[in-house]
Each structure stands twice: as structure tokens, then as C-alpha cells.
């Protein structure tokens, strides 16, 4: 049984038509866009702060996890904050304008973490090779001294 407040997904003909039908001048959508831009800037600017990024990542994943509940809440109360009823029964709108940008931010953070891990592994391996080379040189010097 579908709630009366939901918009049926089969009423949507194409993705681009769906995107163009959104009134992007709606104040809450402007706020949502500002939220996504600020989270992206925060994810990029804090890439060297692992603890903060882990907390940010966890909070963003929680927001995506609860997006279905947010969609249901927004579909019943849309008149309070919106000019139109965007919230469909399958969650297409909230997925497109809320969850996908958040998941892209999470992918940016994961990519940053992988890059940092790669750099750390390269630095570690280089240090190990230098240490091994230093020990081999030291051993050769000791061997030469023993031969004399």
C-alpha cells in the first residue's frame, strides 16, 4: 500500500526531465546544495586529519542509511518547507539530490585514504630498502676488515 503523499515513480518519464522539473530556487534546495558543497570542501580540506575524516565519513554514511526515513518524513511534511511535493514512493528524488552527492563525497574520502596509504607504503618500502642497503655496505666493510 502506497502512502497518499508519495509521487509514483512511473509518473517520471526521463531522468533529465526529472532534473529539469525541480525548482532549484526553492530555499531548502539551495540550502541542500550549500550543504553538499560545504561537505565536499570539508572532505577535501581535512584530508590530512584522519580522525575528523573518519567521523565525517561515519556521519555521512548514517545520513545515507537513514535517507529512506528522511524521505518518508519529508513526504508527509513537505508543505512546511517546500513549494512542491518531490518525494516519491521509491525514493528517487532523495537518492538523486541527497544520497548520491553524499556518496560521491565518501568516495572522494576513500580515494584520499587509498592515496595516502599508497604514499605511506612507498615511503616505508623505500626506507626498508635504504636500511637493507646500508646494512649490506656495513657488512661488506666488516668483511674487508676481517680479510686484512
Amino acid at each position: 500500500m502506497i502512502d497518499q503523499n508519495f509521487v509514483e515513480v512511473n509518473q517520471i518519464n526521463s531522468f533529465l526531465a526529472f532534473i529539469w522539473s525541480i525548482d532549484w530556487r526553492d530555499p531548502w534546495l539551495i540550502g541542500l546544495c550549500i550543504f553538499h558543497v560545504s561537505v565536499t570542501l570539508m572532505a577535501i580540506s581535512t584530508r590530512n586529519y584522519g580522525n575528523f575524516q573518519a567521523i565525517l565519513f561515519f556521519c555521512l554514511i548514517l545520513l545515507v542509511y537513514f535517507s529512506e526515513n528522511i524521505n518518508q518524513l519529508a513526504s508527509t511534511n513537505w508543505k512546511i518547507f517546500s513549494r512542491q511535493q518531490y518525494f516519491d514512493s521509491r525514493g528517487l528524488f532523495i537518492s538523486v539530490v541527497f544520497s548520491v552527492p553524499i556518496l560521491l563525497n565518501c568516495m572522494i574520502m576513500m580515494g584520499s585514504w587509498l592515496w595516502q596509504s599508497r604514499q605511506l607504503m612507498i615511503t616505508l618500502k623505500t626506507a626498508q630498502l635504504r636500511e637493507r642497503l646500508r646494512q649490506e655496505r656495513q657488512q661488506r666493510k666488516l668483511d674487508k676488515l676481517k680479510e686484512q
Side-chain angles (χ1 to χ4, degrees), residues 12 15-16 23-24 27 30 99 103 106 114 126 128 136 139:
I12 300 168
F15 182 73
L16 287 177
D23 181 15
W24 293 102
I30 292 171
S99 296
L103 289 173
C106 290
L114 289 172
T126 303
Q128 286 175 345
E136 287 174 1
Q139 187 62 36

Side-chain angles (χ1 to χ4, degrees), residues 18 22 28-29 71 86-88 91-98:
F18 173 69
I22 297 171
W28 78 274
L29 284 172
N71 186 52
Y86 294 111
F87 303 96
D88 56 276
L92 177 65
F93 177 75
I94 200 160
S95 294
V96 169
V97 300
F98 184 73

Side-chain angles (χ1 to χ4, degrees), residues 66-118:
F66 288 112
S67 65
E68 182 179 356
N69 297 2
I70 295 169
N71 186 52
Q72 289 176 351
L73 182 67
S75 72
T76 56
N77 300 311
W78 68 272
K79 290 179 183 177
I80 296 171
F81 61 90
S82 182
R83 296 180 193 148
Q84 295 181 35
Q85 196 338 358
Y86 294 111
F87 303 96
D88 56 276
S89 58
R90 303 251 171 106
L92 177 65
F93 177 75
I94 200 160
S95 294
V96 169
V97 300
F98 184 73
S99 296
V100 169
I102 288 176
L103 289 173
L104 289 174
N105 282 323
C106 290
M107 286 175 46
I108 289 170
M109 285 191 278
M110 289 290 288
S112 173
W113 295 341
L114 289 172
W115 177 262
Q116 289 173 352
S117 297
R118 176 187 173 272

Side-chain angles (χ1 to χ4, degrees), residues 23-71:
D23 181 15
W24 293 102
R25 293 170 294 165
D26 213 345
W28 78 274
L29 284 172
I30 292 171
L32 185 64
C33 290
I34 291 170
F35 166 76
H36 288 310
V37 169
S38 63
V39 167
T40 302
L41 292 175
M42 195 181 314
I44 292 170
S45 65
T46 62
R47 67 184 175 271
N48 294 325
Y49 300 97
N51 291 337
F52 181 80
Q53 279 217 329
I55 292 168
L56 179 63
F57 184 83
F58 182 71
C59 290
L60 292 176
I61 292 298
L62 280 177
L63 283 174
V64 172
Y65 179 77
F66 288 112
S67 65
E68 182 179 356
N69 297 2
I70 295 169
N71 186 52

